[in-house]
Amino acid sequence: MDDVEVYCVNGPEIDVKGNGVSIVSGDATPTTADHTDFGNVDVTSGTLVRTFTIENTGSIALNLTDPSPYIVISGTNASDFSVTSVPATTSISAPGSTTFKITFDPSASGVRRAIISIANNDPDENPYTFAIQGTGSNSNLSDIIRDASYIESSNHDYTLYQAATITSTSNSIGVFKFLIRDGG
């Protein structure tokens, strides 16, 4: 028998990590451990940014094949999530990595869900997908918000009505419009 040489060409191999923890392609259960669950974020004034790392653990270059921003967000509440920092390169050498950032900015209270999809040239994980979620929450502060469109009248003599039950607002009793919000 002649000498036989065996060459193993691994190819590109994608692995995506959040918070240093691998996220399995097809993962449908977001968790805080890998940053796929963004937690609670205030609807009126909050955003939260998470950084994810795309690693190539294979033996040849891993190519991201979708057009910029290279990361596709889809699903029920996709508009509550955005790619705010794109991968620095679309060809990731072996071994090598690049990062991208997703921002969660909830438009409503409650659980908000989406799917991340990364098209690439990994032969068995294309596209690489995983679920993300966050919870939109109301402010934990209670407040009273005056309706700015309502014009209140002034200079009322309320002493005229102290001894009587008020049954009408036709005699110069002011009516005020406001919203009370309890965030507690």
Side-chain angles (χ1 to χ4, degrees), residues 13 15 53-58 60 62 89 92-98:
E13 183 61 38
D15 184 30
T53 302
I54 302 171
E55 291 185 345
N56 179 8
T57 61
I60 63 174
L62 172 71
T89 182
I92 305 164
S93 62
S97 66
T98 188

Side-chain angles (χ1 to χ4, degrees), residues 8-68:
C8 231
V9 176
N10 187 16
E13 183 61 38
I14 188 172
D15 184 30
V16 178
K17 293 182 176 180
N19 196 32
V21 178
S22 288
I23 304 165
V24 176
S25 182
D27 183 11
T29 309
T31 69
T32 55
D34 62 11
H35 282 177
T36 54
D37 186 336
F38 286 65
N40 294 330
V41 175
D42 186 72
V43 172
T44 57
S45 63
T47 60
L48 183 63
V49 178
R50 294 286 196 212
T51 301
F52 296 91
T53 302
I54 302 171
E55 291 185 345
N56 179 8
T57 61
S59 60
I60 63 174
L62 172 71
N63 297 312
L64 306 181
T65 56
D66 264 337
S68 183

